[in-house]
Amino acid sequence: MTLARAYPTDASGWWFYLGTLAFYAVVRWFLAWRQARRDGDQHAVRAAFAEEDDPAPSMTGGFRSYRQFFGFVGSAVVVVAVAGLTAGRLRLALLWTVVPVLIAALAYLDFRQARNARPRTP
């Protein structure tokens, strides 16, 4: 098994994973904050942080919809294909451009699901 990869043993590898999660959270929060501002909320920051307090019932395991599930699976396939079919600087350049776009797209899908699940007030 020479092609198997292990978890990172140094802190820099783990910072990459933590950065990915932090980027997702920042994009998700920004989208919620922007929507609260558009809706005219007096406390947009509070509304953005309180958005996920009442989770909707799960339809497909941990995902709220099939779009989220297929978005996650499709993103994983794209990342694995890029990592498996490229090498060197091309792999690094593609992963540094493709992964943030995919993370932002998944955050947007989550944001839309939460926005559609909220009751609309006139």
Side-chain angles (χ1 to χ4, degrees), residues 2 9 12 23 30 51 57 67 74 78 81 90 93 109 117-118:
T2 59
T9 56
S12 64
F23 181 67
F30 174 75
E51 184 178 73
R67 273 188 194 159
V78 168
L90 177 63
L109 278 175
R118 273 186 301 203

Side-chain angles (χ1 to χ4, degrees), residues 40-120:
D41 197 339
Q42 292 291 330
H43 303 284
V45 175
R46 239 183 264 159
F49 280 119
E51 184 178 73
E52 290 294 326
D53 288 344
D54 300 323
S58 178
M59 293 176 5
T60 56
F63 301 98
R64 291 186 191 142
S65 73
Y66 290 107
R67 273 188 194 159
Q68 286 178 315
F69 175 73
F70 288 122
F72 179 78
V73 170
S75 297
V77 167
V78 168
V79 169
V80 167
V82 166
L85 298 176
T86 60
R89 290 183 182 196
L90 177 63
R91 175 188 293 170
L92 188 65
L94 283 175
L95 287 177
W96 276 98
T97 55
V98 170
V99 170
V101 169
L102 292 174
I103 291 171
L106 288 175
Y108 181 72
L109 278 175
D110 288 346
F111 165 73
R112 286 204 41 197
Q113 287 295 326
R115 184 179 66 182
N116 292 339
R118 273 186 301 203
R120 289 285 176 199

